[in-house]
């Protein structure tokens, strides 16, 4: 319960809440404290101007003060901070804590006898256009004509404060002592104030109207406070109406009159009891999550305290080892021993400092979390639906926010208990004057971040990190992959980055990958091996980056034409070096009998001549009547059968046999065009402005073709 005490204290006065009100920002403040921090805007009417008018305060003004619940219906015995507007000449005195007090020989003015604020004295009416700044979030709030009575009272918080104070066995203190409050001796039932003997004689003399007040012992006063019935919740807009419904849109309890003629008439409303149970359930749910976090925090604190012991033990062990090594090196080592021990001690103290600081920080957070939990549990015990609903949303948000503070990383030790230093005792005696700690150990094995590792088409992306508690410096990483066929590993990346994408892999292959870190002390262990599978189907498009400038692409780089009458070359964005692949191109436009060429090429093929003119391409060029195969400007195998609009040209590349063949309209065009193909080849085409084609990739192998035994049908790499 002690940890909950901070939740029950006003941020302005630092004391327990007295008549708390709920601000629109969901924070709470004492009603009297809210009065004290009010700021009047320049266009507001000042009290002096009211007095200058000579009209005083009307009965309506005092009725309005009653509605604001700022004043008691009985005499309180002590006055105001600013005096009464209607009786500015009334003499008065000030108590030690600054409250104005009427002397015994002169009773308060008649108006004051019925409009006194319990506990803090009479307060002047709230000026129009007053501004209130929340002391916690510093949000500025402008008051309307209702003044502070426009803010709902937090009766749930008030009840929790009462229960908390009643649970304390300490003696009740005087409420009027400014410093070092003395023990209270009586309580006035009418004023609802605890007095010590000096303050009672000074502020509550037994004469005049105060003689009718009943003074009881403090313990009896505490019981009477607890037994006093709670007021029925009434609407802030319609004081005579009880709160009976809940506005879902405004998230506040409302009365029937608000639904009939108020601003909530068009809003969705639900039964107050149902929403009370619903919000209690929601608060209980989020409280359970926060409770789990608090349990984890307690376990984490135990872990941190154990780490302190481990650090101390490891430090002692390390120091003993260091002393033994230094003694073994006789006199020369003795000159260095003090310096080495000093460094170990500093490391020891640094680790302890970091861990103790984290323990302190986590303890404070846990105390705050536990306090909030206990406060929420007390709130849940309340049986006042409207009062609970006034603060439930704010408490749910606070519980969520507190739970988020225990998020990822907050329950992870900031320091390892191990000492990452080792002594190298191998140097010869002539190097003893250079004896020092080895820079560090070799790095630990990196951890592959599986959630960030993925494959796309024939590319693989790998991501890794160092172990969380490792403090060993890392100069770089080495990423290795095999050949996709369980062959030897090879280095594919060396550098300082912790993420790498490897392109140009074989399709439909399982690649094993691993990574290791290195520093000046050497190379660390490999990470766990990760197997990544590339795409089974060789989907690809035309490559705009390597295309000739005259090439025109559309349809997401699947459709191609040219703005030149000369032949221009464009290749696919994926190269093949293993497997069996088949793709087709549909002739969308064919004018004036051009002769486009289809086939494969190396990455450095010439782009401004017909495909097959140089030794970097293997192609079939075709017109409207016949076709030829061409490589290195050598024309072979003239075959009848040409192209037209709507025709389809197929290309089949089989690395198991090292051959390339072509199809036109699903029929093989001529014999096998080329064989003994090895290496990496890219799909390619050359065309001019009279032709437009659309690519279709990732197609199954034609039924008439049987691939070689070394590769299964339909496999791609």
């Amino acid at each position: 319960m002690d940890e909950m005490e901070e939740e029950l204290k006003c941020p302005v006065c630092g004391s327990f809440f007295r008549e708390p009100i709920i601000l629109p920002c969901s924070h709470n403040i004492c009603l009297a404290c809210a009065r004290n921090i009010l700021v009047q805007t320049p266009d507001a009417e000042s009290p002096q101007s009211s007095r200058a008018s000579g009209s005083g305060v009307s009965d309506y003004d005092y009725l309005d003060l009653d509605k604001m619940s700022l004043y008691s219906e009985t005499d309180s015995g002590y006055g105001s901070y600013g005096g009464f507007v209607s009786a500015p000449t009334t003499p008065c005195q000030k108590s030690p804590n600054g409250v104005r007090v009427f002397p015994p020989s002169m009773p308060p003015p008649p108006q004051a006898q019925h409009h006194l604020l319990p506990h803090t004295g009479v307060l002047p009416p709230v000026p129009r256009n007053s501004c209130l700044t929340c002391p916690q979030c510093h949000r500025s709030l402008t008051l309307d004509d209702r003044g502070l009575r426009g803010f709902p009272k937090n009766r749930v918080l008030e009840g929790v404060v009462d229960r908390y104070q009643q649970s304390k066995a300490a003696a009740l203190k005087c409420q009027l002592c400014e410093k070092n409050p003395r023990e209270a001796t009586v309580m006035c039932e009418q004023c609802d104030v605890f007095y010590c003997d000096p303050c009672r004689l000074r502020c509550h003399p037994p004469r005049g109207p105060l003689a009718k007040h009943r003074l009881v012992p403090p313990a009896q006063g505490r019981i009477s406070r607890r037994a006093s019935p709670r007021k029925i919740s009434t609407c802030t807009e319609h004081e005579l109406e009880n709160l009976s419904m809940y506005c879902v849109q405004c998230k506040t309890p409302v009365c029937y009159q608000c639904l009939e003629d108020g601003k909530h008439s068009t809003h969705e409303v639900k039964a107050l009891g149902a929403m009370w149970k619903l919000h209690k359930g929601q608060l209980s749910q989020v409280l359970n999550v926060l409770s789990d976090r608090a349990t984890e925090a307690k376990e984490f604190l135990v872990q941190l305290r154990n780490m302190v012991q481990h650090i101390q033990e490891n430090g002692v062990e390390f120091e003993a080892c260091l002393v033994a090594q230094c003694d073994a090196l006789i006199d020369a080592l003795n000159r260095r021993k003090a310096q080495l021990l000093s460094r170990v001690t500093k490391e020891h103290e640094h680790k302890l400092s970091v861990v103790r600081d984290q323990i302190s920080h986590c303890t404070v957070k846990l105390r705050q979390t536990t306090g909030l939990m206990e406060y929420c549990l007390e709130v849940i015990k309340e049986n006042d639906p409207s009062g609970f609903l006034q603060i439930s949303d704010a408490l749910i948000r606070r519980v969520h926010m507190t739970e988020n503070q225990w998020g990822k990383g907050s329950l992870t030790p900031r320091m390892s208990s191990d000492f990452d230093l080792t002594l190298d005792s191998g140097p010869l005696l002539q190097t003893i004057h250079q004896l020092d700690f080895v820079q560090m150990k070799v790095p630990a094995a990196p951890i592959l971040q599986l959630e960030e590792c993925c494959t796309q088409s024939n590319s693989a992306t790998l991501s890794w990190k160092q172990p969380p508690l490792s403090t060993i410096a890392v100069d770089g990483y080495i990423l290795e992959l095999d050949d996709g066929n369980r062959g030897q590993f090879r280095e594919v990346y060396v550098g300082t980055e912790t993420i790498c994408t490897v392109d140009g892999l074989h399709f439909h292959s399982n690649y094993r990958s691993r990574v290791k870190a290195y520093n000046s002390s050497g190379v660390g262990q490999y990470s766990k091996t990760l197997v990544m599978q590339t795409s089974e189907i060789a989907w690809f498009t035309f490559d705009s980056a390597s295309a000739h400038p005259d090439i025109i692409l559309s349809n997401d780089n699947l459709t191609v034409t040219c703005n030149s009458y000369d032949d221009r070359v464009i290749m696919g964005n994926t190269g093949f070096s293993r497997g069996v692949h088949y793709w087709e191109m549909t002739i969308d436009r064919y004018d004036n009998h051009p002769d486009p060429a289809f086939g494969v090429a190396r990455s450095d093929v010439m782009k401004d001549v017909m495909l097959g003119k140089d030794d970097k391409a293997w192609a079939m060029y075709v017109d409207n009547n016949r076709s030829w195969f061409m490589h290195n400007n050598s024309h072979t195998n003239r075959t009848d059968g040409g192209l037209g609009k709507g025709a389809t040209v197929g290309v089949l590349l089989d690395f198991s046999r090292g051959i390339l063949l072509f199809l036109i309209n699903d029929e093989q065009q001529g014999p096998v065009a080329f064989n003994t193909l090895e290496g990496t080849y890219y799909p390619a085409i050359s065309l001019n402005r009279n032709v437009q084609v659309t690519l279709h990739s990732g197609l199954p192998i034609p039924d008439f073709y049987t691939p070689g035994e070394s590769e299964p049908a339909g496999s791609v790499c």
Side-chain angles (χ1 to χ4, degrees):
M1 293 291 286
D2 292 339
E3 295 172 335
M4 185 179 64
E5 188 168 309
E6 294 181 4
E7 297 283 338
L8 309 180
K9 290 186 177 181
C10 174
V12 176
C13 63
S15 302
F16 287 108
F17 281 107
R18 303 291 301 276
E19 299 182 88
I21 58 176
I22 306 174
L23 302 180
C25 56
S26 300
H27 293 131
N28 299 285
I29 187 174
C30 296
L31 180 60
C33 294
R35 274 284 185 170
N36 292 338
I37 64 174
L38 278 177
V39 177
Q40 186 174 353
T41 54
D43 58 342
E45 185 179 356
S46 65
Q48 287 78 3
S49 63
S50 298
R51 282 196 290 265
S53 64
S55 59
V57 178
S58 65
D59 293 337
Y60 177 80
D61 293 328
Y62 280 109
L63 177 61
D64 187 59
L65 292 179
D66 283 336
K67 292 179 180 179
M68 293 165 63
S69 300
L70 294 176
Y71 304 106
S72 171
E73 294 180 355
T74 59
D75 304 293
S76 69
Y78 49 96
S80 71
Y81 292 94
F84 290 90
V85 174
S86 60
T89 59
T90 301
C92 62
Q93 299 175 353
K94 282 190 176 181
S95 68
N97 60 355
V99 179
R100 297 185 65 180
V101 181
F102 294 98
S105 60
M106 183 167 293
Q111 298 94 327
Q113 296 181 18
H114 301 284
H115 304 283
L116 300 178
L117 176 63
H119 318 312
T120 59
V122 177
L123 300 175
V126 177
R128 289 181 173 85
N129 300 323
S130 294
C131 180
L132 176 65
T133 300
C134 175
Q136 289 186 278
C137 66
H138 306 293
R139 178 181 172 184
S140 182
L141 311 168
T142 301
L143 277 62
D144 56 18
D145 292 340
R146 296 175 298 168
L148 293 176
R149 67 188 175 93
F151 298 131
K153 290 184 178 180
N154 194 339
R155 290 175 286 103
V156 173
L157 175 58
E158 193 172 9
V160 173
V161 171
D162 288 343
R163 289 200 302 270
Y164 180 81
Q165 290 180 314
Q166 292 161 10
S167 67
K168 295 295 182 180
L172 294 172
K173 301 295 182 180
C174 175
Q175 294 175 280
L176 295 184
C177 292
E178 185 175 8
K179 295 181 180 179
N180 300 322
R182 289 180 287 269
E183 184 175 345
T185 57
V186 295
M187 174 195 171
C188 177
E189 289 187 336
Q190 283 71 34
C191 301
D192 195 22
V193 175
F194 290 95
Y195 298 94
C196 64
D197 287 334
C199 291
R200 177 179 60 82
L201 295 175
R202 183 174 67 253
C203 303
H204 201 287
R207 59 175 66 93
L210 300 179
K212 300 179 181 179
H213 289 196
R214 184 186 179 206
L215 301 179
V216 297
Q220 182 180 346
R222 187 212 298 263
I223 296 174
S224 63
R225 270 189 175 182
R226 187 173 185 179
S228 60
R230 291 193 178 274
K231 296 182 179 179
I232 299 177
S233 303
T234 57
C235 179
T236 57
E237 298 283 348
H238 314 95
E239 286 83 354
L240 300 180
E241 296 289 338
N242 295 335
L243 297 173
S244 55
M245 301 295 288
Y246 181 81
C247 178
V248 178
Q249 181 174 341
C250 299
K251 297 183 178 181
T252 183
V254 295
C255 66
Y256 279 107
Q257 192 169 348
C258 292
L259 302 180
E260 293 179 359
D261 56 7
K263 64 179 181 180
H264 306 280
S265 58
T266 60
H267 295 177
E268 179 186 0
V269 294
K270 292 186 177 181
L272 194 65
M275 293 304 295
W276 174 44
K277 293 180 180 179
L278 175 63
H279 281 230
K280 271 199 173 184
Q282 291 177 351
L283 181 57
S284 298
Q285 290 177 358
V286 297
L287 201 58
N288 288 335
V289 177
L290 184 60
S291 176
D292 294 338
R293 289 292 186 180
T295 302
E296 294 177 7
K298 292 178 181 178
E299 296 173 354
F300 179 62
L301 281 174
V302 174
Q303 179 185 356
L304 290 179
R305 293 188 177 100
N306 292 335
M307 283 186 64
V308 172
Q309 181 180 357
H310 293 159
I311 290 174
Q312 292 172 338
E313 294 174 354
N314 292 340
V316 172
E317 180 182 354
F318 192 83
E319 290 178 6
C321 179
L322 178 60
V323 170
Q325 289 179 332
C326 289
D327 289 343
L329 296 177
I330 317 172
D331 296 337
L333 295 179
N334 286 333
R335 290 192 296 266
R336 299 286 295 174
K337 182 169 61 177
Q339 300 177 17
L340 297 174
L341 285 173
S342 176
R343 291 186 58 183
V344 171
T345 302
K346 288 181 180 179
E347 180 73 8
H348 180 199
E349 292 175 351
H350 172 66
K351 288 179 177 288
L352 290 177
S353 175
V354 172
V355 174
R356 285 169 177 164
D357 179 70
Q358 191 173 10
I359 289 175
S360 176
H361 178 70
C362 189
T363 301
V364 172
K365 288 178 61 178
L366 180 61
R367 180 181 179 87
Q368 294 173 348
T369 300
T370 306
L372 178 58
M373 292 170 53
E374 293 178 354
Y375 171 56
C376 291
L377 291 174
E378 291 297 324
V379 170
I380 291 178
K381 296 177 183 177
E382 281 296 317
N383 296 322
D384 184 351
S386 62
F388 178 84
L389 292 175
Q390 286 177 324
I391 63 172
S392 58
D393 286 317
L395 283 179
I396 292 172
R397 289 195 299 271
R398 287 191 58 193
V399 171
H400 277 304
M401 291 173 60
T402 305
E403 192 271 336
N404 291 335
Q405 292 177 358
W406 293 104
K408 183 178 180 182
S410 62
L411 300 181
T412 301
R414 300 174 185 169
M415 179 63 64
S416 170
S417 59
D418 296 328
F419 283 76
D420 299 323
L421 298 170
T422 184
L423 185 65
D424 185 2
S425 59
L428 299 175
L429 289 178
Q430 59 267 28
T431 61
I432 288 181
H433 66 281
Q434 298 176 348
L435 183 64
D436 199 350
F437 286 111
V438 174
Q439 177 187 359
M440 62 197 72
K441 297 179 180 179
V442 296
I447 299 175
L448 290 171
Q449 301 190 87
L450 301 182
E451 66 277 6
E452 298 183 13
C453 297
C454 62
T455 59
Q456 183 176 8
S457 187
N458 65 333
S459 298
T461 298
L462 294 102
S463 177
W464 59 89
K465 63 179 181 180
Q466 281 298 106
L469 298 182
S470 176
T471 58
I472 304 175
V474 175
D475 294 339
Y477 301 92
I478 301 174
L479 175 63
E480 297 181 355
L481 268 70
D482 68 359
D483 61 357
N485 196 26
R486 303 194 67 82
Q488 295 294 322
F489 281 93
R490 66 188 190 280
E491 294 182 0
V492 296
Y493 172 76
V494 177
T496 59
E497 299 296 331
T498 58
I499 186 169
C500 177
T501 298
V502 183
D503 298 319
L505 302 177
H506 298 299
F507 285 91
H508 194 38
S509 298
N510 293 324
Y511 282 89
R512 294 179 300 160
S513 59
R514 62 187 185 184
V515 63
K516 58 184 177 181
Y518 63 87
N519 59 16
S520 59
S521 297
V523 179
Q525 296 294 319
Y526 284 107
S527 67
K528 293 183 178 180
T529 300
L530 176 65
V531 179
M532 307 182 71
Q533 182 177 9
T534 53
S535 174
E536 296 183 1
I537 302 298
W539 299 100
F540 64 91
T541 64
F542 289 118
D543 185 14
S544 59
S546 64
H548 191 278
D550 293 337
I551 291 293
I552 301 174
L553 290 167
S554 59
N555 188 25
D556 294 329
N557 291 349
L558 293 175
T559 301
V560 61
T561 185
C562 181
N563 60 11
S564 172
Y565 285 105
D566 296 323
D567 290 310
R568 299 291 184 251
V569 173
I570 184 171
M571 297 189 301
N573 61 359
T574 299
F576 304 121
S577 59
R578 192 173 67 185
V580 183
H581 312 277
Y582 179 71
W583 63 93
E584 292 180 348
M585 281 162 281
T586 302
I587 309 301
D588 301 328
R589 180 168 52 82
Y590 188 81
D591 303 328
N592 301 323
H593 310 301
D595 46 3
F598 309 87
V600 296
R602 303 288 192 186
S603 59
D604 55 349
V605 67
M606 296 174 62
K607 305 293 177 55
D608 55 355
V609 296
M610 178 183 288
L611 191 68
K613 286 285 187 179
D614 62 358
D615 62 349
K616 305 295 184 183
W618 293 256
M620 175 188 73
Y621 70 93
V622 56
D623 59 17
N624 62 322
N625 291 319
R626 51 196 174 275
S627 64
W628 293 264
F629 302 145
M630 183 167 63
H631 169 65
N632 199 14
N633 204 25
S634 173
H635 307 253
T636 60
N637 298 97
R638 171 180 167 177
T639 304
D640 291 335
L643 294 179
K645 181 179 179 181
T648 300
V649 177
V651 181
L652 193 152
L653 178 61
D654 184 356
F655 283 99
S656 64
R657 296 179 178 177
I659 63 174
L660 178 69
L661 57 86
F662 299 94
L663 294 84
I664 295 181
N665 295 329
D666 299 326
E667 298 291 337
Q668 183 172 341
Q669 184 74 359
V672 172
F674 304 99
N675 51 30
T676 67
L677 296 179
E678 294 181 354
T680 301
Y681 298 87
Y682 292 83
I685 180 177
S686 67
L687 73 172
N688 62 18
R689 64 182 303 165
N690 292 317
V691 183
Q692 177 176 300
V693 302
T694 296
L695 171 67
H696 307 278
S697 64
L699 301 178
I701 298 172
D703 294 336
F704 75 87
Y705 184 76
T706 302
E709 295 182 357
S710 60
E711 295 287 348
S715 68
V716 288
C717 303

